[in-house]
Amino acid sequence: MPIAVQKFGGTSVANAEKIKRAARRAINAFKQGNQVVMVASARGKQTDQLVADAIELNPNPPKREMDMLLSTGEQQTVSLLAMALDAMGHKAISFTGTQIRMVTDGAHSKARIKSIDADRIHEKLDTGHIVIVAGFQGVDDHDDITTLGRGGSDTSAVALAAALKADVCEIYTDVDGIYTTDPRLYTQAVKIDRISFDEMLEMASLGAGVMHGRAVEFGKKYDINIHVRSSLTDAQGTLITKEVPQMEGILVSGATIQKDLAKIGLNSIDNKPGNAAKVFAHLAQAQVSVNDIIQVEVSPEKANLSFTTAKADLAEAKKAIEEIMQQVNCESIFVREDIAEVSVIGVGMRSHHGVAETMFGALSKAKVNIDSITTSEIRISCIVDIDQAQTALVAVCDAFDLDKPAEKRKNQN
Ligand code: ASP
Ligand code: MG
């Protein structure tokens, strides 16, 4: 029998009515001949509330205890869903991450999944149950509860879909799919019907809030089609899927803006082998994730190195850099928090030229100063002043026609 994994985000299970609606959706899929696994997030803004409760008592709560606390939100949802299904006359059972051995590393608050024991789930599916799994949480080798990072239930769902060899992983949310850019910032943004894993990975890591990046990585690695769709309607959403050649015809699929960034620069470090390795090994040890890195040689003896990181990691990053700066003979460091990064993403860039020119031209016309530029094969990003972020995004979206469906954009082949 085909297996369907259906993940429900916080807004899709926010109250009793919505929980019932999610339960009915699962029953429908079951009646259509699927074995159904539901993955649920904490209800509404509950995780935020739990974070606030913690901070009230301790501004810097131990991460292990934070995971103990935050994982309770999902546990409530899954048991309530099981009760709702039971009331509808359907066999259902809920599980925590620990109960299905969703084993992760020990990095509290940003753990990575290592393995899942699918046996218990299969056993229940085979006896006609709808299985409901708490998203966002796992357990490490010491039996301590971990969480996967905010928004991590998507990752739980796709990882489960891979472990169960599911036919589809549906992500039910309060929007009807992935948009060319955040419609709150650019109201003319349009829904994307299909996007490749690589593009979605870039968009997710650049702050397109809809999907958790790790979820897309799992989808890509195990070739699981991910269907992001609205929990309120039956309309098709956005399919995140393997790249097909036609996708290269679309120059730019989406644009993002990231405002929760900070930048640290190391001025004038010794230009010799092993220095970058030292700096980033030290940052990794402090569990700081780094986004874009720029190093420029300024003389045969000296180089400037800078990188961006999430504002939330800035304090730890700065501490780590201060510890290491002498070892690389760094003259001074500078930190900027008043920045934003605007990016365009598209697999079409691989085979077409002129994308950079169009982007820089649009920013120049809008009188936005570009602080620094980084690129990947399918992305161009510019750091700009945060107070020009909105202007920059609109200029770029207009330039690439991101207010039109892909087939109607100019510059397409
Ligand atoms: N409840 C968690 C959060 O709010 C995980 C999730 O919703 O995916 O981040
Ligand atoms: Mg989410």
Side-chain angles (χ1 to χ4, degrees), residues 45-204:
K45 298 253 169 268
Q46 222 201 344
T47 310
D48 291 337
Q49 185 55 53
L50 290 170
V51 172
D53 291 348
I55 303 287
E56 206 184 330
L57 291 167
N58 182 341
N60 202 359
K63 288 190 165 155
R64 178 192 181 277
E65 302 311 325
M66 201 62 178
D67 283 355
M68 283 289 278
L69 179 69
L70 296 193
S71 62
T72 61
E74 273 70 16
Q75 195 173 334
Q76 293 177 20
T77 316
V78 293
S79 47
L80 290 168
L81 273 166
M83 291 174 200
L85 283 159
D86 180 75
M88 292 171 184
H90 208 289
K91 283 204 270 186
I93 182 164
S94 65
F95 289 125
T96 64
T98 306
Q99 285 172 312
I100 56 152
R101 306 303 304 163
M102 170 87 69
V103 178
T104 69
D105 62 17
H108 287 290
S109 83
K110 47 183 161 194
R112 291 167 79 97
I113 299 170
K114 297 202 293 193
S115 63
I116 300 172
D117 179 4
D119 288 354
R120 190 146 180 216
I121 299 177
H122 279 303
E123 195 183 295
K124 290 296 171 187
L125 290 175
D126 290 345
T127 48
H129 291 78
I130 289 177
V131 173
I132 311 135
V133 176
F136 177 53
Q137 56 179 266
V139 64
D140 71 9
D141 290 331
H142 307 288
D143 266 354
D144 282 324
I145 295 176
T146 54
T147 63
L148 310 181
R150 295 302 306 270
S153 298
D154 293 337
T155 299
S156 309
V158 182
L160 267 169
L164 294 165
K165 303 194 172 35
D167 292 78
V168 58
C169 183
E170 294 180 316
I171 305 284
Y172 286 97
T173 175
D174 58 344
V175 293
D176 53 8
I178 313 285
Y179 277 66
T180 48
T181 195
D182 186 340
R184 287 168 302 186
L185 302 177
Y186 184 73
T187 48
Q188 310 96 296
V190 294
K191 194 185 84 194
I192 301 171
D193 293 331
R194 238 167 206 279
I195 186 166
S196 69
F197 289 121
D198 286 335
E199 288 168 317
M200 195 61 225
L201 267 175
E202 292 275 13
M203 302 240 315

Side-chain angles (χ1 to χ4, degrees), residues 94-410:
S94 65
F95 289 125
T96 64
T98 306
Q99 285 172 312
I100 56 152
R101 306 303 304 163
M102 170 87 69
V103 178
T104 69
D105 62 17
H108 287 290
S109 83
K110 47 183 161 194
R112 291 167 79 97
I113 299 170
K114 297 202 293 193
S115 63
I116 300 172
D117 179 4
D119 288 354
R120 190 146 180 216
I121 299 177
H122 279 303
E123 195 183 295
K124 290 296 171 187
L125 290 175
D126 290 345
T127 48
H129 291 78
I130 289 177
V131 173
I132 311 135
V133 176
F136 177 53
Q137 56 179 266
V139 64
D140 71 9
D141 290 331
H142 307 288
D143 266 354
D144 282 324
I145 295 176
T146 54
T147 63
L148 310 181
R150 295 302 306 270
S153 298
D154 293 337
T155 299
S156 309
V158 182
L160 267 169
L164 294 165
K165 303 194 172 35
D167 292 78
V168 58
C169 183
E170 294 180 316
I171 305 284
Y172 286 97
T173 175
D174 58 344
V175 293
D176 53 8
I178 313 285
Y179 277 66
T180 48
T181 195
D182 186 340
R184 287 168 302 186
L185 302 177
Y186 184 73
T187 48
Q188 310 96 296
V190 294
K191 194 185 84 194
I192 301 171
D193 293 331
R194 238 167 206 279
I195 186 166
S196 69
F197 289 121
D198 286 335
E199 288 168 317
M200 195 61 225
L201 267 175
E202 292 275 13
M203 302 240 315
S205 74
L206 294 169
V210 184
M211 277 291 288
H212 199 234
R214 289 278 293 146
V216 187
E217 281 178 32
F218 269 105
K220 179 178 174 183
K221 185 159 173 204
Y222 298 100
D223 198 11
I224 303 285
N225 284 337
I226 304 171
H227 187 178
V228 181
R229 57 194 305 190
S230 164
S231 59
L232 300 172
T233 70
D234 285 326
Q236 292 290 304
T238 301
L239 196 66
I240 309 170
T241 184
K242 200 154 71 185
E243 188 180 326
V244 292
Q246 300 89 286
M247 284 178 172
E248 292 225 332
I250 302 167
L251 222 52
V252 166
S253 293
T256 58
I257 188 102
Q258 234 183 331
K259 294 183 183 165
D260 61 345
L261 279 184
K263 176 166 143 177
I264 298 189
L266 289 84
N267 287 327
S268 185
I269 66 172
D270 277 354
N271 187 8
K272 62 179 193 210
N275 271 353
K278 264 188 214 151
V279 170
F280 291 102
H282 199 66
L283 285 166
Q285 216 171 27
Q287 300 196 339
V288 171
S289 7
V290 169
N291 299 10
D292 289 322
I293 301 170
I294 303 180
Q295 179 169 310
V296 195
E297 183 180 52
V298 290
S299 74
E301 293 80 35
K302 287 287 180 181
N304 290 342
L305 176 63
S306 68
F307 64 91
T308 53
T309 184
K311 275 200 177 93
D313 279 349
L314 179 61
E316 300 220 32
K318 194 165 167 249
K319 187 164 153 262
I321 293 302
E322 282 164 354
E323 284 162 5
I324 197 88
M325 62 187 283
Q326 273 197 332
Q327 283 186 46
V328 296
N329 214 5
C330 165
E331 264 169 26
S332 61
I333 63 172
F334 72 94
V335 174
R336 274 194 73 187
E337 287 191 78
D338 57 343
I339 53 166
E341 185 177 67
V342 56
S343 308
V344 295
I345 298 100
V347 290
M349 280 178 216
R350 283 194 200 121
S351 46
H352 297 81
H353 54 83
V355 177
E357 182 192 333
T358 305
M359 181 171 186
F360 304 153
L363 291 175
S364 141
K365 223 162 90 190
K367 303 209 163 19
V368 173
N369 184 50
I370 303 172
D371 177 59
S372 56
I373 302 167
T374 51
T375 61
S376 82
E377 208 187 13
I378 63 165
R379 165 182 71 92
I380 302 174
S381 300
C382 298
I383 300 274
V384 302
D385 284 357
I386 200 154
D387 48 17
Q388 290 197 302
Q390 178 66 24
T391 311
L393 182 72
V394 171
V396 164
C397 289
D398 285 344
F400 288 103
D401 282 341
L402 294 183
D403 54 344
K404 300 185 180 69
E407 65 282 0
K408 299 229 170 88
R409 288 179 211 147
K410 55 182 187 283

